[in-house]
Amino acid sequence: MGRRDRRTRLADAALGAVLPLLLLAAWEIATRFALVSSFLLPRPGAVVVRLAEEIAAGTLPAAAGATLLRLTVSYGIAAVVGVGLGIAMARLRTVRWVLDPVVSIALPSPKISLLPVLVLWFGVFDTPKIVIGVLSCVFPIVAGTAAGAAGVDRHLIWSAENLGTRPGALLWRVVLPAALPQIVTALQVALPIAFIAVVVAEMLTGGGGLGGGLIEATRLADPAGAFAHLVAIGVLGFLAMAALRRLRRFILVWHEEEQRQGVII
Amino acid sequence: MRRLLHWLLRSLPVLLMVIAWEAAVRLGLVGAALLPAPTTIAAAWWRLAADGDLLPHAAASLWRATAGLAISVAAGVALGLAMALSRTAERLVQPLVTFLYPLPKSALIPIVLVWFGFGHGAQIAVIVLGCLLPVVLGAYNGARGVEPALVWSARSLGARRAEIVRDVVVRAALPDILAGIRVALALGFVLLVSAEMVGARRGLGFLIAFLGETGAYPAMFAVVVTVMALGFTADRVLLAATRRLLRWREA
Amino acid sequence: MAGRSKIVFDAVRYDYTPPGGAPVPALDGVSLAIAEDEFVAVVGPSGCGKSTLLHLVAGFLPLSDGRILLDGRPVGPPGPDRGVVFQHFALFPWKTVRQNILYGLERKRGLDADTRRALARRYIEMVRLEGFEDLYPAQLSGGMKQRVAIARTLATQPDVLLMDEPFGALDAQTRGLMQEELLAIWSRRRKTVLFVTHDVHEAVLLADRIAVMTARPGRIKALVEVGLPRPRDRAVIRSAAFAERCEDVWALVREEARAAEAGVGQMGATEAGGAR
């Protein structure tokens, strides 16, 4: 890590800040000189003030807490069920026969269209939001896990069997660790999908949460409130993905992940 | 004949589930109010289609999805390639992309609706906001992963810079671009249906919400099935196109 | 050494800069002159920079110091005057055999479509790939892929041929056949060839002269005149002269390979020091 390196990194950061700063400046100018109606776009300062107020009043943290809880529960269920089914699909013919067509139909279909059905079945409280979250993100996890577990090098399994590993232990000691990079990738793909679904469910069925607060602010023609919620959702999404990336590095320290380098033309 | 048999065997679990569903409703194991039987749903679908209620909404949704996806692919590929080919573009755009990627795009629906109103424009804008980044990242990663030897051999065969981008970089990035488009397609449908349920006067998402609110549940189920079938079909069409475009990968 | 120099290396240096690290000299003071229509092989321990040397001539990498002259003029960016054959073929996987061979021809000025087609057909015949024209690289064996790559490069009629361990990724039998084929092609249409390999037998079998390189940073340790009769074929390997020449070259390479092995530990130490 030479001085040169640090300087290029500084230049990178400066260049990376150009676009966000330009957008922010355009936003400020557009609102200050009333180029855009404040009904459509609140002033940046107003959004910051609103964020501070709502945090101080505890309303925004409460909404974020409700959303985070729904997200965590639905994502947790989807992760456990999805990884379990995915491995079962890879190892057991019958399970594969049953689930293969189900997954191939369900994976690309927009599950969110089931939301009114879920409201019909489960009412408007937490349950339909959690169920739609699970339905939205479980299939990518199943498909990713199944592909990872089916792709485990046969030689690895043979050599483990040769060393006397029992079938039960084979799953835990060999198949699961070998498929782990792909499983974690599937989990990373699934998180934003669950988040999208939970936010939409909150917008459509009420019951608080960041999505509920956002739609309510929009209905009350309160743009500062709407943008404050939007910022909160963005930050929550960013933090959740960052946490998952960190988890990936922690879980996969042993795994040499390929680093791709660019080519100059 | 063999292919038909194979297909039947593969779809058998789904067919069995549908039959079990029908039986459960007929035998009164599940309340018909909560879950109409498949035959009831089929009848409701036929009525909707025959009355001419389904087609205009389906056409509106499909037009929005096509336009939104087309814009996303064109802009996304251009931006992704620019990021991969120019260090400046990369350093300029990448931090913003990294920050915006995990933002649940559905949160933008209410704001876009306020900005663009309740017509086609808002729905298309929502789709573009959701679909752009997967395509950008596909093109960027694909173009960055080009094997240097391919670029080198094109150069020593006399290709100029623009020719290398066209003949080597884009071609080599194509698998990743198509994978990005596949993600974008699924995401686009989700966002379209969501946006139509939140605020639209036409479209299949609107129709589902409307039928749900008026208690016409068999018809609502019929539209839900239609939406799922459209999403599934679009994915299949893209997969078939991908297989054709990437024929050279199959040995 | 008959004829004038086609390629001249004059005190060539190349520093490799790893991402986020200090530059490491990969080549230092390489000087060598290659005559018109001469076949020169470069051998040396792995990591000595022999492929780097070839990439410098091709114009893929920038020189850190010194000069490389082609026909008396400094080499420029990559171009069709220097044809390159890579170890891993570098065929365009989305193009068929014929389309791969046509690609270079389409970039040449003054060739109409019929001429291009005829040329492509001639080079396909030369590497005996008739009947495979419309297959994709993924459908070919390793040896066939490399024959396509050689045909693609020769079709544009480059001044010099740069071959970077071209048979290194092939199995032993295929490699033997490919060597024979290259000898036959080269004896029919002579060309200046720079041929990088780690295989001493291959170098002696194919080359007029062999440049043995030192361990990193790479320099020319010795130039060995092969002196076996031309035109050559595989039968030559049974001669006493062949065995003797192999022994000579191998003795030179062995010293450097030992040094390179010992240098790996040393290198680790310098890199740790450099990273401070």
Side-chain angles (χ1 to χ4, degrees), chain C residues 23 26 48 139 196 267:
Chain C
C48 72
Q139 297 166 303
V196 167
M267 267 273 304

mmCIF file with all atom_site columns, all heavy atoms in Angstrom, chain C residues 23 26 48 139 196 267:
data_model
loop_
_atom_site.group_PDB
_atom_site.id
_atom_site.type_symbol
_atom_site.label_atom_id
_atom_site.label_alt_id
_atom_site.label_comp_id
_atom_site.label_asym_id
_atom_site.label_entity_id
_atom_site.label_seq_id
_atom_site.pdbx_PDB_ins_code
_atom_site.Cartn_x
_atom_site.Cartn_y
_atom_site.Cartn_z
_atom_site.occupancy
_atom_site.B_iso_or_equiv
_atom_site.pdbx_formal_charge
_atom_site.auth_seq_id
_atom_site.auth_comp_id
_atom_site.auth_asym_id
_atom_site.auth_atom_id
_atom_site.pdbx_PDB_model_num
ATOM 1  N N   . PRO C 1 23  ? 6.633   -1.501  -8.736  1.00 0.00 ? 23  PRO C N   1
ATOM 2  C CA  . PRO C 1 23  ? 7.045   -2.194  -9.953  1.00 0.00 ? 23  PRO C CA  1
ATOM 3  C C   . PRO C 1 23  ? 8.142   -3.220  -9.692  1.00 0.00 ? 23  PRO C C   1
ATOM 4  O O   . PRO C 1 23  ? 9.036   -2.982  -8.885  1.00 0.00 ? 23  PRO C O   1
ATOM 5  C CB  . PRO C 1 23  ? 7.562   -1.068  -10.851 1.00 0.00 ? 23  PRO C CB  1
ATOM 6  C CG  . PRO C 1 23  ? 7.174   0.198   -10.206 1.00 0.00 ? 23  PRO C CG  1
ATOM 7  C CD  . PRO C 1 23  ? 6.892   -0.076  -8.773  1.00 0.00 ? 23  PRO C CD  1
ATOM 8  N N   . ALA C 1 26  ? 10.692  -7.390  -14.710 1.00 0.00 ? 26  ALA C N   1
ATOM 9  C CA  . ALA C 1 26  ? 10.420  -8.715  -15.253 1.00 0.00 ? 26  ALA C CA  1
ATOM 10 C C   . ALA C 1 26  ? 11.462  -9.069  -16.311 1.00 0.00 ? 26  ALA C C   1
ATOM 11 O O   . ALA C 1 26  ? 11.907  -10.214 -16.395 1.00 0.00 ? 26  ALA C O   1
ATOM 12 C CB  . ALA C 1 26  ? 9.018   -8.765  -15.848 1.00 0.00 ? 26  ALA C CB  1
ATOM 13 N N   . CYS C 1 48  ? 10.204  -16.394 -16.145 1.00 0.00 ? 48  CYS C N   1
ATOM 14 C CA  . CYS C 1 48  ? 11.382  -15.626 -16.543 1.00 0.00 ? 48  CYS C CA  1
ATOM 15 C C   . CYS C 1 48  ? 11.013  -14.489 -17.489 1.00 0.00 ? 48  CYS C C   1
ATOM 16 O O   . CYS C 1 48  ? 11.845  -13.691 -17.854 1.00 0.00 ? 48  CYS C O   1
ATOM 17 C CB  . CYS C 1 48  ? 12.425  -16.531 -17.201 1.00 0.00 ? 48  CYS C CB  1
ATOM 18 S SG  . CYS C 1 48  ? 11.948  -17.070 -18.848 1.00 0.00 ? 48  CYS C SG  1
ATOM 19 N N   . GLN C 1 139 ? -16.854 -26.984 -30.358 1.00 0.00 ? 139 GLN C N   1
ATOM 20 C CA  . GLN C 1 139 ? -17.118 -28.322 -30.906 1.00 0.00 ? 139 GLN C CA  1
ATOM 21 C C   . GLN C 1 139 ? -15.844 -28.991 -31.421 1.00 0.00 ? 139 GLN C C   1
ATOM 22 O O   . GLN C 1 139 ? -15.909 -30.075 -31.981 1.00 0.00 ? 139 GLN C O   1
ATOM 23 C CB  . GLN C 1 139 ? -18.140 -28.209 -32.045 1.00 0.00 ? 139 GLN C CB  1
ATOM 24 C CG  . GLN C 1 139 ? -19.486 -27.675 -31.568 1.00 0.00 ? 139 GLN C CG  1
ATOM 25 C CD  . GLN C 1 139 ? -20.372 -27.246 -32.725 1.00 0.00 ? 139 GLN C CD  1
ATOM 26 O OE1 . GLN C 1 139 ? -19.988 -26.407 -33.526 1.00 0.00 ? 139 GLN C OE1 1
ATOM 27 N NE2 . GLN C 1 139 ? -21.563 -27.811 -32.803 1.00 0.00 ? 139 GLN C NE2 1
ATOM 28 N N   . VAL C 1 196 ? 7.950   -19.133 -28.320 1.00 0.00 ? 196 VAL C N   1
ATOM 29 C CA  . VAL C 1 196 ? 8.203   -19.276 -26.883 1.00 0.00 ? 196 VAL C CA  1
ATOM 30 C C   . VAL C 1 196 ? 7.741   -20.652 -26.431 1.00 0.00 ? 196 VAL C C   1
ATOM 31 O O   . VAL C 1 196 ? 6.641   -21.081 -26.772 1.00 0.00 ? 196 VAL C O   1
ATOM 32 C CB  . VAL C 1 196 ? 7.459   -18.176 -26.092 1.00 0.00 ? 196 VAL C CB  1
ATOM 33 C CG1 . VAL C 1 196 ? 7.451   -18.483 -24.607 1.00 0.00 ? 196 VAL C CG1 1
ATOM 34 C CG2 . VAL C 1 196 ? 8.096   -16.824 -26.347 1.00 0.00 ? 196 VAL C CG2 1
ATOM 35 N N   . MET C 1 267 ? 12.045  -14.056 -3.468  1.00 0.00 ? 267 MET C N   1
ATOM 36 C CA  . MET C 1 267 ? 11.046  -13.132 -3.994  1.00 0.00 ? 267 MET C CA  1
ATOM 37 C C   . MET C 1 267 ? 10.017  -12.764 -2.945  1.00 0.00 ? 267 MET C C   1
ATOM 38 O O   . MET C 1 267 ? 9.671   -11.610 -2.773  1.00 0.00 ? 267 MET C O   1
ATOM 39 C CB  . MET C 1 267 ? 10.287  -13.811 -5.149  1.00 0.00 ? 267 MET C CB  1
ATOM 40 C CG  . MET C 1 267 ? 10.849  -13.558 -6.496  1.00 0.00 ? 267 MET C CG  1
ATOM 41 S SD  . MET C 1 267 ? 10.168  -12.068 -7.143  1.00 0.00 ? 267 MET C SD  1
ATOM 42 C CE  . MET C 1 267 ? 8.428   -12.489 -7.017  1.00 0.00 ? 267 MET C CE  1
#
